[in-house]
Amino acid sequence: MVVAKKYVIQKHRSGLLQPEDVKIVEEELPELKEGEFLAQAHFISIDPYIQYLIHDEEKHPVGSTIPGTQIALIYDSKNPKFPIGKYIYGNFGMRTYTIGPLKDDDPYGMPPQYILPDFNSYPYSYGLGILGMPGITANKGFLGLCKPQPGETVVVTTAAGAVGSVVGQIAKIKGCRVVGIAGSDEKGKWLVDVLGFDKFINYKRPDFAKKLKDAAPDGIDCYFDNVGGEISSIILSQMNKFGRISVSGSISAHNVESGEEPKASIVQRHLVLRQLKMEGFMVTRWRDEWFEIINQNLQWLREGKLKYKEHIVCGFDNFPKAVVDLMTGANTGKVILNVMG
Ligand SMILES: NC(=O)c1ccc[n+]([C@@H]2O[C@H](COP(=O)([O-])OP(=O)(O)OC[C@H]3O[C@@H](n4cnc5c(N)ncnc54)[C@H](OP(=O)(O)O)[C@@H]3O)[C@@H](O)[C@H]2O)c1
């Protein structure tokens, strides 16, 4: 008999996740029935939405399994479509073993599971990052909504993270001038020296508006917004006429205490006067093109046009630490929990 470990919510709170907010419980799994498979988690994706969802008492009550995606090994199978030994992406939650297949009933439209496409020699964990959901977010969220043109100036926030680092590099592939915004000078060095961004601004240092003006003296044509809040309002105030804003997230409001949500300057007058186009999206919008986009990112990786980094936290027990690393900016690149490590 297989015993699965899973993280459940123990306490809801506002602010940053604390280890005592979650606990590991064990669950004995039944024998496999015809048509089922058993998946053993190897890598778990640590995403900003986890912090956000565990605040949501209504949708995620105490005792419910923390949602999330993973790369797992098919460990046993009574389903020929999911043979033993294959690696699979699964929307299985924070758990070590799962019986599948899951039904396609995720409220956000995430795929329930699929056998990983051939990544050539790249690690399977890339299927949670550049060759998975965050890579698709970066690719289509940027190209589809911002429609960048060569020579245009692009600004991206959380620029050293899983999504932002890919957005900036795709902007470079498309011939744009790229300004990355992130929270440490070390991240900035990586963005400029390794990834080829043109400019970097540390948003935690003073005079952000002036530094942005210096970094983008001709104004901003495209903004990929991962943060919201005042930083985004300042960026919008420096956009050019007919600029495009792709709204991907609002992480500046994710781990604040209740009642302390950031207040930001009004943006409507910039939208009106500069005739800007601002559009939010969910990556699941491109579910029909999922594998096409993964292949495009894979192609750019192989050509050396995209570079990629992971921030790996080892051990299932370290899930809370991995979330805190992500939410406090300790990561450069995609945060992955290595369950077997
Ligand atoms: N719309 C969609 O379908 C979709 C899908 C996936 C992801 N997203 C969004 O994409 C964004 C990035 O996600 P990711 O997975 O790539 O995470 P990530 O960028 O790898 O990690 C999160 C980063 O956010 C930054 N951060 C934390 N608190 C912040 C604050 N108060 N203000 C500004 N920056 C802050 C930290 O970097 P610093 O050192 O720079 O502070 C941290 O490294 C998130 O907003 C996420 O919700 C959207």
Side-chain angles (χ1 to χ4, degrees), residues 32-33 35-39 73-79 81-83 88 92 98-102 113:
L32 290 188
K33 295 194 204 100
E36 290 183 338
F37 64 81
L38 177 67
L73 175 71
I74 304 207
Y75 196 72
D76 196 1
S77 180
K78 291 190 174 178
N79 184 329
K81 287 189 190 145
F82 296 96
I88 185 175
F92 298 154
T98 305
I99 291 182
L102 295 193
Q113 67 252 306

Side-chain angles (χ1 to χ4, degrees), residues 45-322:
S45 181
I46 304 296
D47 296 280
Y49 72 82
I50 295 170
Q51 162 79 29
Y52 181 73
L53 292 182
I54 58 179
H55 289 168
D56 188 338
E57 223 165 324
E58 213 173 289
K59 285 202 189 109
H60 304 279
V62 167
S64 59
T65 306
I66 296 175
T69 59
Q70 55 176 255
I71 302 297
L73 175 71
I74 304 207
Y75 196 72
D76 196 1
S77 180
K78 291 190 174 178
N79 184 329
K81 287 189 190 145
F82 296 96
I84 294 175
K86 286 279 185 194
Y87 280 85
I88 185 175
Y89 157 94
N91 190 10
F92 298 154
M94 297 297 144
R95 46 185 301 137
T96 54
Y97 286 92
T98 305
I99 291 182
L102 295 193
K103 288 200 197 99
D104 196 351
D105 59 359
D106 176 71
Y108 302 97
M110 287 292 287
Q113 67 252 306
Y114 52 81
I115 302 270
L116 286 188
D118 181 3
F119 288 169
N120 305 126
S121 54
Y122 294 107
Y124 297 119
S125 55
Y126 280 29
L128 297 173
I130 194 163
L131 302 179
M133 184 278 278
I136 296 165
T137 303
N139 184 316
K140 289 299 278 193
F142 175 57
L143 294 178
L145 273 59
C146 285
K147 301 192 180 3
Q149 299 302 311
E152 287 192 324
T153 296
V154 173
V155 171
V156 54
T157 37
T158 72
V163 173
S165 61
V166 179
V167 169
Q169 292 180 85
I170 292 177
K172 287 308 299 175
I173 292 171
K174 295 295 171 186
C176 300
R177 195 171 175 280
V178 181
V179 180
I181 317 289
S184 80
D185 295 346
E186 205 186 332
K187 290 183 182 190
K189 203 169 158 29
W190 180 65
L191 293 174
V192 173
D193 295 350
V194 180
L195 302 193
F197 283 44
D198 297 282
K199 295 281 176 187
F200 161 74
I201 304 170
N202 182 342
Y203 71 89
K204 291 182 179 165
R205 293 192 184 275
D207 301 328
F208 178 76
K210 180 180 180 310
K211 284 177 182 154
L212 184 61
K213 188 79 206 150
D214 293 344
D218 298 329
I220 298 156
D221 302 293
C222 304
Y223 172 38
F224 192 90
D225 183 3
N226 279 322
V227 299
E230 188 59 19
I231 292 294
S232 288
S233 293
I234 293 170
I235 294 168
L236 260 66
S237 76
Q238 295 191 22
M239 300 239 7
N240 290 330
K241 201 168 166 188
F242 300 119
R244 287 86 64 203
I245 302 116
S246 173
V247 183
S248 161
S250 52
I251 202 163
S252 68
H254 278 214
N255 43 347
V256 295
E257 296 295 330
S258 160
E260 289 181 6
E261 288 78 9
K263 306 272 183 296
S265 304
I266 195 161
V267 296
Q268 280 77 0
R269 68 193 165 101
H270 308 304
L271 289 168
V272 172
L273 290 175
R274 297 155 205 261
Q275 304 186 61
L276 306 178
K277 186 172 179 193
M278 188 172 190
E279 184 176 351
F281 70 90
M282 291 285 288
V283 62
T284 44
R285 178 194 291 203
W286 298 292
R287 198 163 140 178
D288 292 346
E289 298 163 70
W290 207 258
F291 297 106
E292 226 173 278
I293 307 163
I294 288 175
N295 267 330
Q296 171 69 90
N297 285 352
L298 176 62
Q299 179 69 24
W300 280 332
L301 257 183
R302 289 169 53 186
E303 291 168 2
K305 292 178 178 164
L306 288 182
K307 297 194 174 69
Y308 183 63
K309 195 166 181 170
E310 294 178 316
H311 174 97
I312 295 184
V313 177
C314 287
F316 190 65
D317 294 356
N318 279 325
F319 164 70
K321 177 193 176 326

